[in-house]
Amino acid sequence: MWRDLASIGRNAATGGYRRFAWTGADTDCRAWFRAQAEARGLTHEVDRNGNQWAWLGDPAAGDAVVTGSHLDSVPDGGAFDGPLGVVSAFAALDELRARGAAPTRPLAVVNFGDEEGARFGLACVGSRLTAGALTPDAARELRDADGVTLPRAMERAGYDPDDIGADPERLARIGAFVELHVEQGRALAHTEHPVGVASAIWPHGRWRFDFHGEANHAGTTRIEDRHDPMLTYANTVLAARKKARLAGALATFGKVSVEPNGVNAIASLVRGWLDSRAADEETLAAVVADIERAAAERAERDGVTVRVTRESFTPVVEFAHDLRDELAGLLGGVPVLPTGAGHDAGILSGVVPTAMLFVRNPTGISHSPAETAAEGDCVAGVTALADVLEDLACR
């Protein structure tokens, strides 16, 4: 499975993956998922929001145990973030069959669409829509860098966007959702354990900073006559690093656009996107407020205006404690650790009991072609997931 999936959406120059929602690479990943489902005699279906499901047993029976993750990527992302959870889910079902385990509850593997938000700027679109955390009207306003709306992108990929929205009937059938994911950090690397259990997801969000200045000639405009938004942006990036470090939080400007984007032109507009995360919502709010204040103060000095728009926010997620503790005990007291990364499991946690397993990442690198996990650790993850599914669905 890993070998068959590995080439889809991979950029030959960078070695990274460009599997963006509703593009050709995404279509190929979806075809791969369907083929895996059909090869195992599972019932394949696509829900109203474009998420894929592969069912073992009758979905209508309810109290199902669902596992899986996503197959899309960030720009030039790694091979493991998302796909490891989907591949491991199919492999865990194979392991259950090899053990002769007989499910007493329906089982399903899911591929949630557009988890990374690389194309439309909002993470976890598929699961947010399903859980009612994103309204259909708001989803229809999402646009990519070329101005293509989400519904139009779905139509071009052969899907009907008319029925997107909350899916409470589907969620009511789910008794538990367990997502396996490569660890996006190095906590497990310092232990003897290849697998851990998630305790919580840090609150996190995305903010767009619009720095408006005055376009002018780079070769004729005196320094003292400039209203250069690039200076304000650069100072804000440095301020974000300082404010986050002092608070024990995280703040990253990872995306920027410039107008008119000419080498010999002073910019008229610099737009930067801030990703910030912290252990609690109070700290996160304080850090973002400090960054906004630093941006405003510098903007005044530079003769620039700044506007800040919150584009998304996910509050702290505490995974179901009873399910979390059950999994940690079942797996022999493995580490229980928080994460700063968002996941579909976090979105669903408000409506169904959810849990997460992490597979050790020796470098801690993620969202990069250098992302990796040892084969033995991945196998341990499959075994752990099979143990969990057997405990939850085969008793």
Side-chain angles (χ1 to χ4, degrees), residues 50 52 76 95 101 132 137 158 167 169 191 214 219-220 231 266 287 334:
Q52 289 179 283
D76 286 324
E95 171 64 14
D137 287 344
D167 201 346
E169 293 181 1
T191 76
E214 181 179 79
T220 62
L231 295 178
I266 299 166
V287 168
V334 299

Side-chain angles (χ1 to χ4, degrees), residues 43-89:
T43 301
H44 174 265
E45 63 173 336
V46 180
D47 66 23
R48 67 179 60 172
N49 298 307
N51 306 308
Q52 289 179 283
W53 302 78
W55 287 95
L56 175 63
D58 180 10
D63 201 28
V65 177
V66 179
T67 186
S69 192
H70 63 95
L71 294 174
D72 67 311
S73 75
V74 298
D76 286 324
F80 293 82
D81 181 353
L84 181 63
V86 179
V87 170
S88 296

Side-chain angles (χ1 to χ4, degrees), residues 46-394:
V46 180
D47 66 23
R48 67 179 60 172
N49 298 307
N51 306 308
Q52 289 179 283
W53 302 78
W55 287 95
L56 175 63
D58 180 10
D63 201 28
V65 177
V66 179
T67 186
S69 192
H70 63 95
L71 294 174
D72 67 311
S73 75
V74 298
D76 286 324
F80 293 82
D81 181 353
L84 181 63
V86 179
V87 170
S88 296
F90 282 122
L93 290 188
D94 294 343
E95 171 64 14
L96 289 182
R97 284 174 165 169
R99 295 177 184 180
T104 57
R105 300 165 65 179
L107 276 167
V109 178
V110 63
N111 167 34
F112 283 110
D114 200 8
E115 192 270 357
E116 295 291 7
R119 183 173 181 184
F120 297 102
L122 178 65
C124 300
V125 169
S127 57
R128 284 182 191 272
L129 280 168
T130 300
L134 174 64
T135 67
D137 287 344
R140 293 187 180 102
E141 293 300 316
L142 294 175
R143 297 176 182 271
D144 67 10
D146 296 320
V148 178
T149 64
L150 173 64
R152 182 60 179 145
M154 293 180 70
E155 287 178 340
R156 288 179 178 178
Y159 292 84
D160 183 358
D162 290 345
D163 291 333
I164 61 172
D167 201 346
E169 293 181 1
R170 179 175 298 274
L171 294 175
R173 302 174 186 169
I174 301 174
F177 174 63
V178 180
E179 181 174 4
L180 179 144
H181 204 281
V182 68
E183 185 190 5
Q184 294 167 292
R186 298 190 67 243
L188 290 173
H190 299 292
T191 76
E192 61 183 13
H193 298 279
V195 178
V197 174
S199 59
I201 298 176
W202 281 13
H204 55 279
R206 298 180 182 185
W207 290 260
R208 190 185 77 239
F209 283 64
D210 295 332
F211 302 92
H212 292 270
E214 181 179 79
N216 216 325
H217 197 296
T220 62
T221 310
R222 298 188 310 162
I223 292 294
E224 54 267 33
D225 291 337
R226 299 184 179 201
H227 302 282
D228 189 349
M230 189 66 78
L231 295 178
T232 317
Y233 167 71
N235 186 81
T236 304
V237 173
L238 296 175
R241 171 65 179 266
K242 179 179 179 180
K243 304 301 183 183
R245 178 175 55 81
L246 292 175
L250 300 169
T252 308
F253 277 95
K255 179 180 177 181
V256 61
S257 68
V258 181
E259 296 178 11
N261 205 28
V263 175
N264 60 348
I266 299 166
S268 60
L269 170 65
V270 176
R271 179 170 285 143
W273 282 263
L274 170 70
D275 178 299
S276 191
R277 305 162 192 246
D280 58 78
E281 294 177 28
E282 292 76 13
T283 300
L284 178 59
V287 168
V288 174
D290 285 345
I291 297 170
E292 290 186 26
R293 190 175 303 110
E297 291 173 355
R298 179 69 194 205
E300 185 175 0
R301 290 173 54 189
D302 294 333
V304 169
T305 61
V306 59
R307 178 181 300 167
V308 181
T309 303
R310 189 177 80 176
E311 293 193 338
S312 69
F313 178 76
T314 302
V316 64
V317 172
E318 288 281 349
F319 289 111
H321 289 194
D322 54 347
L323 183 58
R324 177 198 67 193
D325 296 344
E326 179 180 353
L327 268 55
L330 175 70
L331 300 178
V334 299
V336 178
L337 56 149
T339 178
H343 300 281
D344 292 311
I347 301 299
L348 296 184
S349 66
V351 287
V352 299
T354 61
M356 290 193 71
L357 302 180
F358 291 130
V359 172
R360 184 164 51 193
N361 180 340
T363 66
I365 294 174
S366 187
H367 284 187
S368 159
E371 179 181 88
T372 190
E375 183 175 334
D377 288 354
C378 293
V379 172
V382 170
T383 302
L385 182 58
D387 290 343
V388 167
L389 297 181
E390 185 173 14
D391 178 70
L392 295 177
C394 302

